[in-house]
Amino acid sequence: MNTAWEIDHRKARKKSATTITTDLLDIGFRGLSDTLNMVNDLVASGLKSGSKISNCNCGCECQGSLMDCCTCGKLSASVDIDVQARLGERRMVSFLIENNRSSPQEVELQVPILIDGCGERLQPGQNFRFDPPKFVIPPCHCQRVKLAIDLIPPFKECTAYYAEIRMTGHCMDEKICLGIYVQPDNYVDHFTLTDSCRPKKGEFVEFASCGPCDCECGDCSCECCVNTKSYYLCDPTGTAFERIPQ
């Protein structure tokens, strides 16, 4: 077997121990400057360059040569809409906008900001398509808008992205935070056996993100670790991957 298959066999993930990650999108995209400042703080915190660096030069989640290397991988962040998909797929998001004024209102939708989990700003290009992108809502009426998200380049697998969806009109300037995680190619949704009466031959292995503890005593030589990913290894002997000491 020449790879390890990532699988969420417990149907639950623990959040990252890095507090700044959870705060990345709490700013709600109030402005590009604030957003990039927060992302720069995240990158400077050393999240990507933990004390355990594998041979693929990514963070400590990637503790084996056959594990996927998520340089700008999945982050725990507060977003208004969360989308998870694989590269090459299309995802649909819909909005309902009500005109609660007594006069017709013109509304326009666009995606002015797209950044990845490392803080690099990208061009949305043709990845986001609104239907319709611009319209007029009569008084006391609602308008439904569909957003098609095409996960094609510049999107990459195993990477988190954050986009600002902006709705503008008379007396309206709404900003919606959209989080997108492009799953790695080796991610599987379900695990099963060809013979349920026999035990499995492989094994599940959990890997952890580790970082310095916030010790009140001042001795931060220890490390705090949080389980982040589970892999199924079809070769339990360890010959097909770099086994990590327990």
Side-chain angles (χ1 to χ4, degrees):
M1 197 67 192
N2 60 358
T3 190
W5 301 98
E6 182 184 347
I7 182 170
D8 193 4
H9 70 291
R10 295 184 178 181
K11 300 299 181 185
R13 293 181 182 272
K14 295 182 180 180
K15 293 184 178 180
S16 170
T18 308
T19 305
I20 194 169
T21 333
T22 62
D23 296 332
L24 175 61
L25 264 296
D26 285 343
I27 56 177
F29 281 106
R30 288 192 295 266
L32 176 60
S33 178
D34 290 342
T35 302
L36 295 182
N37 286 339
M38 181 67 75
V39 174
N40 289 335
D41 289 342
L42 170 66
V43 175
S45 68
L47 180 64
K48 298 184 301 161
S49 56
S51 58
K52 297 181 179 179
I53 303 298
S54 71
N55 57 5
C56 54
N57 297 321
C58 54
C60 60
E61 283 186 357
C62 187
Q63 294 181 336
S65 60
L66 296 178
M67 307 302 165
D68 58 275
C69 301
C70 301
T71 305
C72 302
K74 191 172 183 179
L75 301 178
S76 298
S78 299
V79 295
D80 298 312
I81 302 173
D82 183 13
V83 174
Q84 297 191 33
R86 289 174 171 83
L87 193 65
E89 293 183 342
R90 168 176 284 194
R91 282 291 182 266
M92 301 297 298
V93 177
S94 62
F95 307 91
L96 186 65
I97 305 173
E98 175 186 327
N99 180 13
N100 57 346
R101 295 172 60 87
S102 58
S103 59
Q105 296 298 309
E106 183 175 339
V107 179
E108 182 176 2
L109 292 90
Q110 54 182 302
V111 179
I113 299 175
L114 175 64
I115 61 174
D116 63 19
C118 288
E120 180 180 355
R121 187 169 183 179
L122 307 172
Q123 293 298 325
Q126 300 299 314
N127 298 93
F128 300 90
R129 297 176 180 269
F130 292 100
D131 182 23
K134 190 175 182 179
F135 46 87
V136 176
I137 310 178
C140 303
H141 282 68
C142 292
Q143 172 72 46
R144 183 190 180 191
V145 181
K146 295 180 181 180
L147 170 60
I149 307 170
D150 291 321
L151 298 174
I152 58 177
F155 286 118
K156 300 178 182 178
E157 67 168 332
C158 196
T159 304
Y161 297 90
Y162 303 98
E164 175 188 289
I165 300 173
R166 191 169 185 179
M167 306 178 182
T168 57
H170 184 66
C171 293
M172 180 184 187
D173 190 359
E174 185 76 14
K175 297 177 182 178
I176 299 173
C177 182
L178 171 66
I180 303 172
Y181 176 60
V182 184
Q183 295 170 333
D185 183 63
N186 68 332
Y187 182 82
V188 292
D189 298 290
H190 185 71
F191 170 75
T192 190
L193 298 168
T194 58
D195 188 345
S196 58
C197 296
R198 296 176 181 272
K200 63 183 183 294
K201 300 297 184 180
E203 65 176 346
F204 287 102
V205 177
E206 291 190 353
F207 290 81
S209 287
C210 302
C213 294
D214 185 12
C215 306
E216 295 182 358
C217 61
D219 180 12
C220 293
S221 59
C222 60
E223 286 191 340
C224 297
C225 300
V226 177
N227 290 335
T228 55
K229 291 189 177 183
S230 296
Y231 291 90
Y232 188 76
L233 307 178
C234 292
D235 182 5
T237 64
T239 59
F241 74 104
E242 180 183 336
R243 183 174 290 276
I244 304 301
Q246 300 298 320

